Amino acid sequence: MSDEILYDRKGGVVVITINRPEQRNAISKAVRVGLRAAFERFEADDEAMVAILTGAGEKAFCAGMDLKEAADTMLGVPPRDFLPVIGDTVHVTKPVIAAVNGVAYAGGWLLAQMCDLCIAAEHATFAITESKVGRGMPWAAPLGHIIPQRVMMELLLTGDPVSAQRAYEIGFVNQVVPAAELMPAAMAMAEKIAGNAPLTVRAARELVYLSTEMGRSAALRAGHHVFERVYRSEDAQEGPRAFKEKRKPQWRGR
């Protein structure tokens, strides 16, 4: 893992930080390599239940692609695995929360979009700026499952930024908090999720994404299939038993 990506596990929660504050945490080759390694490490760690993705400093979550590097390398059509995108080029089955601490533009929007949940500081701003620099945003296709079509159209065609509050209003952000409360809020949500039954959490996450791919009846059938393993697990017996015995469940993930 590169020095431009920090990885810190606290109990069941991992904090992954893009560490290029002087460059507004722009996505360089080192960042791409480091993020991929971080997500693979998170997925492989049985003790890690939830990850938080954030940026170093107070100005930027991620300002997007390092355009100087792109100019130097004469980047044309990016290869399919150019960016480590959860749900596309990186396999992650556990929840990831974006803690957006400043601008999230272009690739920064993508990083926030690919996370399962998003908490933003009040001063954060979001934008899909590719139309202003002649680049593309094929990764924005799933955005239509998160926000209304005409809002998506405006964002893509104008490239103009929206505030954290506006991002919350259109359903892209889960919570907006003062800057000083961003990481505590993200950690509180992560710890709450990490304390729940891990098999149920992962299956619920999968169900949400499956349901966007199919109609109502097919999604119901898929849901029964996804949760069959959960129902047959030891944890499915531990939860009711712990409730009956008035104690905290001891989840084993099996």
Side-chain angles (χ1 to χ4, degrees):
M1 196 175 303
S2 73
D3 292 338
E4 297 188 352
I5 298 295
L6 306 180
Y7 186 100
D8 181 31
R9 182 160 74 81
K10 302 173 182 178
V13 179
V14 168
V15 178
I16 300 170
T17 306
I18 305 172
N19 188 35
R20 299 186 78 205
E22 298 303 318
Q23 294 78 29
R24 300 206 304 170
N25 298 319
I27 304 171
S28 62
K29 180 178 180 180
V31 168
R32 299 197 308 270
V33 171
L35 279 177
R36 185 180 300 278
F39 288 130
E40 290 175 350
R41 179 177 174 183
F42 167 60
E43 179 68 13
D45 186 351
D46 291 338
E47 299 299 318
M49 298 290 109
V50 183
I52 296 171
L53 177 63
T54 193
E58 300 177 355
K59 295 182 179 180
F61 171 71
C62 173
M65 181 172 60
D66 188 327
L67 293 178
K68 293 181 180 179
E69 183 178 276
D72 290 342
T73 59
M74 298 183 66
L75 179 66
V77 180
R80 177 65 186 275
D81 62 350
F82 183 72
L83 282 172
V85 181
I86 295 172
D88 185 10
T89 60
V90 175
H91 179 66
V92 173
T93 61
K94 296 178 278 191
V96 180
I97 301 169
V100 180
N101 54 305
V103 298
Y105 287 4
W109 179 298
L110 164 60
L111 295 180
Q113 176 184 301
M114 75 176 185
C115 294
D116 305 298
L117 298 158
C118 182
I119 300 177
E122 290 174 335
H123 70 284
T125 54
F126 298 80
I128 301 174
T129 56
E130 277 77 359
S131 62
K132 294 182 180 295
V133 293
R135 302 297 297 179
M137 69 293 278
W139 47 263
L143 186 58
H145 292 294
I146 303 174
I147 68 174
Q149 183 186 78
R150 289 194 173 179
V151 176
M152 178 178 173
M153 191 74 74
E154 180 181 352
L155 288 165
L156 269 58
L157 270 55
T158 67
D160 290 342
V162 295
S163 67
Q165 181 60 34
R166 178 59 176 157
Y168 171 77
E169 291 168 356
I170 64 176
F172 189 73
V173 168
N174 295 90
Q175 296 178 26
V176 178
V177 299
E181 297 176 18
L182 177 63
M183 288 309 294
M187 187 62 69
M189 179 181 283
E191 289 175 344
K192 182 179 292 186
I193 295 170
N196 289 337
L199 294 180
T200 300
V201 166
R202 294 189 196 187
R205 176 184 179 275
E206 183 178 357
L207 178 69
V208 171
Y209 292 121
L210 277 175
S211 66
T212 67
E213 303 285 345
M214 55 190 69
R216 176 182 177 277
S217 297
L220 283 169
R221 290 193 297 271
H224 285 292
H225 174 72
V226 166
F227 278 99
E228 183 171 352
R229 180 182 175 223
V230 177
Y231 286 130
R232 295 180 183 277
S233 69
E234 293 180 22
D235 283 354
Q237 302 303 316
E238 168 63 7
R241 186 184 305 118
F243 178 82
K244 179 181 178 181
E245 296 173 1
K246 299 181 180 180
R247 60 175 175 80
K248 186 177 180 179
Q250 300 297 312
W251 306 122
R252 300 186 181 278
R254 62 174 188 259

